[in-house]
Amino acid sequence: VYNTSFAEWKERMQNEGKIAFEDLEIFERIGIQMETGTEPFEYVITTSILTRGEIMETTKIKAKVWNAKNGVEYVLGTWNRFDDINDSKMDNFIEKVYKDPLTGVLNKKEIIRYIEEKLVQGDESKAAFVIMDIDDFKEFNDTYGHMFGDEIVKSVASIIKSALGSKGQVGRIGGDEFLFFIENIEGEMDLRSLLRAIRSNIQWLFRERLEYMPVHCSFGAVFYPEQARTYKELFQIADKCLYIAKEKGKNRYIIYDKELHGPVRTNELESSMIEMKSNRTEVRDTIEL
């Protein structure tokens, strides 16, 4: 529609009076989001852009900036006449692009993108990278059916999201597997407290129906930046810690400890791995009730 640069288009829209005076500041924020933003955004703004300058109307813009593999950035979104009645229908468009449709948390692609962007920013504040899954989830599907299994997954996602609050983000990376990144965490005790709360709340899910088969979960965790700095290293260490939690009987969290679990070995050709040291005590890996 407008075969020109974004900066030229934005200046022309302002000069031609297609933005309501009281919304010029909002229009400026929209421009900043489109040019430099990384998070989804939405604004309600009065403009005559959609009517080619004929009618001033209230509109709603919802969009997200996407980075293509070739490094080119795109803005994907909708810009419609604002309608309170039909607004919920417009909300669905962007959400389907970056959210897991079952749980409403970030999908696999977006949680990875979110974490990688945080790492690129180079913030040296302490953060935790955690992989979690539901123990013996196949048994719930086989015993109670996949619809009930979906209800368990949705409830687990809700518990994680609520526990994290504004501290971090969670995404669903598999059928019953979640990945979350917790920022500005104070230390190991803080992380243990958070994971223990999540685990305890999950154990009470559908307790009346699952009296003899409670929902349990296992976690593998690693700290950024002192234990690993890249997404690949963080994922490999956390995934191995999750494996250790499963081997030890499930329903527990394992937080990586180099002295206890061994060093991480990486090179350009092989995946990282953690060597279990049989000559070390493993008291710290027991369940904390």
Side-chain angles (χ1 to χ4, degrees):
V1 177
Y2 295 99
N3 187 21
T4 183
S5 72
F6 178 76
E8 290 174 348
W9 171 82
K10 186 172 69 170
E11 184 178 0
R12 191 169 71 184
M13 295 302 100
Q14 292 172 315
N15 292 339
E16 292 178 359
K18 291 183 179 178
I19 311 298
F21 178 78
E22 62 271 19
D23 286 346
L24 285 173
E25 184 178 341
I26 294 176
F27 186 64
E28 193 63 35
R29 289 205 299 269
I30 292 173
I32 293 172
Q33 288 275 15
M34 285 187 172
E35 292 177 303
T36 64
T38 58
E39 298 295 323
F41 62 89
E42 66 175 75
Y43 293 98
V44 174
I45 183 172
T46 301
T47 174
S48 63
I49 291 176
L50 301 184
T51 63
R52 305 292 197 277
E54 294 181 2
I55 303 172
M56 275 284 183
E57 59 183 0
T58 303
T59 63
K60 183 171 184 177
I61 178 171
K62 290 173 62 71
K64 179 169 174 38
V65 178
W66 289 87
N67 294 306
K69 291 183 179 179
N70 60 4
V72 177
E73 291 185 332
Y74 298 90
V75 178
L76 176 66
T78 58
W79 198 340
N80 298 89
R81 183 165 56 85
F82 184 71
D83 185 340
D84 285 325
I85 297 175
N86 294 317
D87 189 46
S88 60
K89 295 180 181 179
M90 292 192 294
D91 288 346
N92 292 332
F93 176 74
I94 296 298
E95 289 188 358
K96 288 180 180 178
V97 175
Y98 69 93
K99 287 189 177 181
D100 172 60
L102 176 65
T103 62
V105 301
L106 296 180
N107 59 33
K108 181 177 181 179
K109 181 178 180 180
E110 281 305 301
I111 187 61
I112 293 174
R113 182 196 300 271
Y114 174 85
I115 295 172
E116 286 181 335
E117 288 180 351
K118 289 292 182 181
L119 300 181
V120 168
Q121 291 172 9
D123 187 353
E124 294 295 306
S125 58
K126 198 180 190 74
F129 184 105
V130 184
I131 302 175
M132 189 215 86
D133 74 6
I134 303 170
D135 295 330
D136 304 312
F137 183 66
K138 185 177 182 298
E139 293 186 22
F140 292 107
N141 279 334
D142 292 345
T143 304
Y144 298 97
H146 288 275
M147 290 186 67
F148 185 64
D150 285 349
E151 289 301 313
I152 293 176
V153 171
K154 286 194 290 186
S155 298
V156 167
S158 179
I159 287 172
I160 299 171
K161 189 173 181 179
S162 176
L164 294 183
S166 60
K167 286 187 174 182
Q169 281 283 4
V170 56
R172 184 185 180 206
I173 59 174
D176 65 314
E177 194 169 25
F178 297 89
L179 170 62
F180 39 104
F181 191 71
I182 312 165
E183 301 172 64
N184 298 315
I185 196 157
E186 294 182 3
E188 184 172 321
M189 293 307 296
D190 190 22
L191 178 59
R192 286 181 179 274
S193 177
L194 180 61
L195 298 184
R196 185 163 55 244
I198 293 173
R199 189 189 65 188
S200 298
N201 286 331
I202 288 174
Q203 287 179 165
W204 284 97
L205 285 175
F206 308 104
R207 202 56 180 262
E208 293 182 1
R209 183 171 182 178
L210 302 174
E211 183 178 358
Y212 302 105
M213 191 180 176
V215 183
H216 290 155
C217 57
S218 296
F219 307 80
V222 57
F223 282 112
Y224 167 88
E226 66 265 34
Q227 294 178 328
R229 301 187 69 90
T230 69
Y231 177 86
K232 181 180 179 181
E233 291 171 338
L234 288 164
F235 188 92
Q236 288 168 332
I237 295 174
D239 191 49
K240 185 60 179 182
C241 288
L242 176 62
Y243 175 79
I244 296 171
K246 296 290 188 182
E247 280 204 322
K248 288 182 173 294
K250 307 172 185 178
N251 189 30
R252 66 193 68 212
Y253 44 83
I254 301 296
I255 300 172
Y256 177 63
D257 183 320
K258 185 176 180 179
E259 291 298 315
L260 184 62
H261 304 123
V264 178
R265 300 187 308 187
T266 60
N267 58 46
E268 295 180 355
L269 300 176
E270 298 178 351
S271 298
S272 300
M273 64 178 293
I274 299 175
E275 295 180 340
M276 291 294 293
K277 293 187 175 181
S278 57
N279 62 336
R280 291 187 181 275
T281 178
E282 297 180 352
V283 174
R284 292 179 63 191
D285 286 341
T286 56
I287 300 176
E288 291 191 9
L289 298 177

